[in-house]
Amino acid sequence: MGGNTPCASCKLLRRRCAKECIFAPYFPPEDPHKFAIVHKVFGASNVSKMLQDLPVHQRADAVSSLVYEANARMRDPVYGCVGAISYLQHQVSQLQMQLAVAQAEILCFQMQQQDSSSPSMAQKECSHKSSL
Amino acid sequence: MSSSNSVEGSYSKRCAACKHLRRRCAEDCVLAPYFPATHPERFECVHKIFGAGNVARMLKTLPVQERAQAADSLSAEAYWRVRDPVYGSTGIVIQTNQEISATQCELAKIRAQISMYEARRASEQQPPPPPAVLPQQQGPLGPQESMPMFEPNDPFNFLN
């Protein structure tokens, strides 16, 4: 990647793509949009610092999450990824309410079952005592 | 003396961004309303992740009434990224999605149980059908008692 084809970041930044370019493994030249969007939101130097602070095996995931957040910010310049989180947390609240209602219903059924079975249990006890 | 006092005065009114960047805080500083000097860590976080220039540019592209919300969401994302340098706020999205899946699963199980209870209650409330009167059959083994009917739709004999 270094000598012949510059990576997407070095192409955009118009610089020589070194052999040890930190961006090259994660921003291939075939997908220039990916780096463009991350550069627009975070800035190339900030992304470089963030990647340098991480062990190599975690950098791919970090890039994926940065791309995700940059895309979210481009789609929603006011709330970005936070907007998506608010929406999902609202879904969680709704589901938890539905779960609570369903659990209450199950409890009712179980209590009804107990009530219907307890008279027969009382009868059995009575007949056992009388046989003694 | 008075000029130095006025310089000191204006320096003391710098926002967190201009203090951090060691520059004069202009009266129309776009960052000043959202990064007050009272919370320097908020700006430091945002500057570390996004950069002051990017933040100022993003805020300038927005109408004034939306800038406070944008500054808050940028601060939140920067905070999550500092806490989790690999996944940042995307980690919260993943976690919340997993919570949603788990809750949906639990809800589906409980609803299935409710359906079973309702079906059982409905069948218990139905009056049992009158027993069919069949003539006693006499075969080589003698009179046969009638065998209980196997109901393919009631394999667990809920109806009896």
Side-chain angles (χ1 to χ4, degrees):
Chain A
M1 187 76 53
N4 297 328
T5 317
C7 69
S9 50
C10 293
K11 243 184 175 175
L12 186 78
L13 300 170
R14 293 180 192 184
R15 63 187 192 191
R16 191 179 72 85
C17 193
K19 226 176 169 181
E20 61 281 356
C21 173
I22 197 163
F23 297 120
Y26 316 107
F27 296 103
E30 299 84 34
D31 192 359
H33 175 74
K34 189 174 163 185
F35 181 76
I37 205 167
V38 164
H39 177 48
K40 190 163 187 185
V41 174
F42 295 99
S45 62
N46 287 332
V47 175
S48 171
K49 279 184 217 164
M50 283 190 252
L51 292 181
Q52 271 166 11
D53 287 344
L54 290 172
V56 177
H57 67 276
Q58 288 183 327
R59 289 178 187 175
D61 281 352
V63 166
S64 299
S65 65
L66 287 168
V67 170
Y68 179 86
E69 285 172 33
N71 272 310
R73 182 60 60 176
M74 295 303 288
R75 269 199 310 268
D76 183 353
V78 179
Y79 294 103
C81 203
V82 174
I85 292 169
S86 297
Y87 172 75
L88 290 173
Q89 283 178 340
H90 177 72
Q91 275 200 303
V92 169
S93 302
Q94 298 280 86
L95 283 169
Q96 283 173 343
M97 265 172 23
Q98 290 174 28
L99 190 62
V101 167
Q103 282 168 338
E105 256 186 86
I106 281 274
L107 266 175
C108 280
F109 277 116
Q110 285 169 350
M111 280 168 61
Q112 280 172 12
Q113 256 197 340
Q114 275 179 4
D115 287 345
S116 59
S117 64
S118 58
S120 58
M121 286 296 291
Q123 278 177 10
K124 277 183 186 171
E125 275 189 21
C126 286
S127 59
H128 177 69
K129 279 178 186 170
S130 62
S131 68
L132 291 174
Chain B
M1 199 64 74
S2 59
S3 60
S4 66
N5 278 344
S6 65
V7 164
E8 276 176 18
S10 69
Y11 274 2
S12 68
K13 289 176 189 170
R14 283 188 297 175
C15 69
C18 295
K19 249 188 175 169
H20 183 89
L21 299 169
R22 295 177 191 186
R23 65 187 189 192
R24 192 178 71 88
C25 193
E27 269 199 39
D28 58 349
C29 173
V30 72
L31 299 171
Y34 317 109
F35 298 100
T38 46
H39 293 90
E41 68 289 341
R42 181 173 141 113
F43 176 75
E44 279 163 24
C45 214
V46 161
H47 178 51
K48 183 177 180 177
I49 302 303
F50 294 100
N54 282 337
V55 176
R57 182 181 44 78
M58 283 191 261
L59 292 180
K60 274 185 192 165
T61 61
L62 294 170
V64 176
Q65 61 271 22
E66 287 178 347
R67 289 179 187 177
Q69 295 284 13
D72 284 346
S73 68
L74 286 166
S75 299
E77 283 189 37
Y79 170 76
W80 281 322
R81 180 61 61 175
V82 166
R83 267 186 69 173
D84 182 354
V86 181
Y87 296 104
S89 55
T90 309
I92 313 281
V93 171
I94 294 169
Q95 228 175 348
T96 315
N97 268 320
Q98 285 170 348
E99 210 178 325
I100 288 173
S101 298
T103 313
Q104 282 173 333
C105 210
E106 186 67 30
L107 189 60
K109 275 188 213 168
I110 291 186
R111 282 186 173 160
Q113 282 183 3
I114 290 173
S115 303
M116 267 177 54
Y117 277 119
E118 282 175 342
R120 191 182 292 184
R121 192 165 66 174
S123 65
E124 280 169 4
Q125 284 172 355
Q126 272 179 10
V133 179
L134 297 170
Q136 267 202 345
Q137 292 178 2
Q138 198 144 2
L141 299 175
Q144 290 172 7
E145 289 180 0
S146 58
M147 298 292 288
M149 302 275 286
F150 173 71
E151 290 282 334
N153 293 329
D154 182 29
F156 298 107
N157 208 20
F158 281 154
L159 296 172
N160 294 322

